[in-house]
Amino acid sequence: MGLTATAFGDIGRLAALADNPHVSRREDIYCAVASLYQTQGGVISDRERELMREILRRLTGEVEMAIRIAAAERIADDPQAPLDLILFLVDDTIEVARPLILRSARLSDEELLRFVREADVARQAVCAQRPHIGETLTEVLAQSDAEPVLVALIRNATARIAEKSFALLVEKSRAIAALQEPLAQRFDLPPHLAGRMCEWVSEALKAHIVRHYQMSVSAASQALTQATRIVQAPSQATDGSHKLIEKLAAASQLKAGFLVRVLSQGQVDLFELAFAKLLELEPTRLKRLIYDGGPRSVALACRAVGIDKCVFPTVYNLSRQARRVHPQLTPHDRADADAVFATFSKAEALARVQSCD
């Protein structure tokens, strides 16, 4: 049975308001419809669902992204949220879709498989970052030719990857150097596939593989002589990252948006260097702050550099997942973080962060 006539009339009035830009704020209408859809999803009729979706569709381009992200963050943590509402929001910008793809319990591997083959690279990459995805889904993702998708999949320590998918990823690492280091770091990479990589990886990475998988040094050296591609040494990449951060800072282009973008792309080292620079901290202090200090410390750091409250859960989850730290935020953690954003100005948060040991 659908909503009462009164409730359906309310939806109708919201639709009328959505057509009149002078009567009510678009953001208020968007949030009201999204909340009603979220809470009444189990009882509304198909007609009512379509009307709600049409209102949201009509308003999407006129409502600030921060408002839409905040709605998605709330719905992502609701295990009872209507699946069709989630799928509707997943079609919004990637910033809105990200928390839903990463966290919604309503999106099973089967549901993700329904759209991942047709999804764009950005959505596939976020799907590859989702915790605890299974072998059927990782098999599809491993078939991608997009580097961001493959890197995200390999860096997802909780993803279950079958041996045949690992074999495909190892073979792709011949041509895509960015896959080599994270593959070698996987604890579940079959040893014989790790040995195969010694044909084309750098000396430093080969040495890691030899130590980690207890391979024969002579066998690894023999494989290395067949190499056709040498990856850049890690120290050179680090120097390049430092230079990039300094250059962006000197040009006043090092901003919160850069942090979120590189973290979403799986470039956690670059994210940490940039975060440390913005907070005027040594990188080691930054790491202690965000990985050992808990959600409140991360919220303070986000507030200090201008990362919005609604983006905080994404930063917290992705950074911890990248470093293989359990990312789950409890309701108490979220309340604590919300209090930080409500209590401290940017300057006050920065002072607090810089005073932490």
Side-chain angles (χ1 to χ4, degrees), residues 48-66:
E48 292 158 353
R49 287 174 187 274
E50 183 52 40
L51 179 55
M52 287 183 171
R53 284 196 295 269
E54 180 56 32
I55 296 171
L56 295 175
R57 190 178 298 114
R58 206 178 305 168
L59 295 178
T60 292
E62 303 177 39
V63 174
E64 288 186 10
M65 187 181 296

Side-chain angles (χ1 to χ4, degrees), residues 114-294:
R114 293 180 194 276
F115 78 86
V116 73
R117 287 187 178 89
E118 303 301 324
D120 57 22
V121 169
R123 284 168 176 74
Q124 289 180 345
V126 175
C127 182
Q129 296 167 0
R130 182 180 169 97
H132 306 292
I133 51 178
E135 291 183 357
T136 303
L137 184 55
T138 59
E139 180 181 355
V140 173
L141 292 167
Q143 293 168 9
S144 171
D145 292 321
E147 181 177 316
V149 177
L150 299 175
V151 171
L153 174 60
I154 296 168
R155 289 191 181 277
N156 184 349
T158 66
R160 297 189 297 278
I161 303 176
E163 183 171 335
K164 65 178 180 180
S165 296
F166 266 130
L168 178 58
L169 292 167
V170 165
E171 188 59 32
K172 288 185 176 186
S173 76
R174 287 179 182 268
I176 306 176
L179 306 185
Q180 295 170 6
E181 183 273 336
L183 268 173
Q185 297 292 337
R186 293 279 312 198
F187 70 92
D188 50 351
L189 178 67
H192 70 280
L193 293 177
R196 188 182 304 171
M197 288 176 61
C198 285
E199 297 178 14
W200 56 82
V201 301
S202 69
E203 285 283 0
L205 196 52
K206 183 191 74 169
H208 166 80
I209 291 173
V210 169
R211 289 194 306 271
H212 187 73
Y213 294 95
Q214 298 182 335
M215 294 170 55
S216 161
V217 175
S218 60
S221 297
Q222 183 180 7
L224 186 66
T225 62
Q226 304 170 17
T228 59
R229 183 180 183 91
I230 302 297
V231 297
Q232 188 178 38
S235 60
Q236 293 174 308
T238 300
D239 289 343
S241 298
H242 278 286
K243 289 177 181 177
L244 172 62
I245 297 304
E246 293 297 333
K247 184 176 180 180
L248 290 173
S252 300
Q253 294 301 310
L254 189 59
K255 299 177 180 178
F258 176 82
L259 294 179
V260 178
R261 184 168 69 253
V262 296
L263 180 60
S264 299
Q265 294 169 350
Q267 301 178 70
V268 66
D269 293 327
L270 199 58
F271 161 77
E272 291 167 354
L273 284 174
F275 212 167
K277 182 68 176 179
L278 284 172
L279 293 171
E280 300 176 14
L281 298 176
E282 289 296 320
T284 52
R285 281 189 64 195
L286 180 279
K287 290 179 182 178
R288 287 200 303 271
L289 177 79
I290 63 174
Y291 299 123
D292 298 336

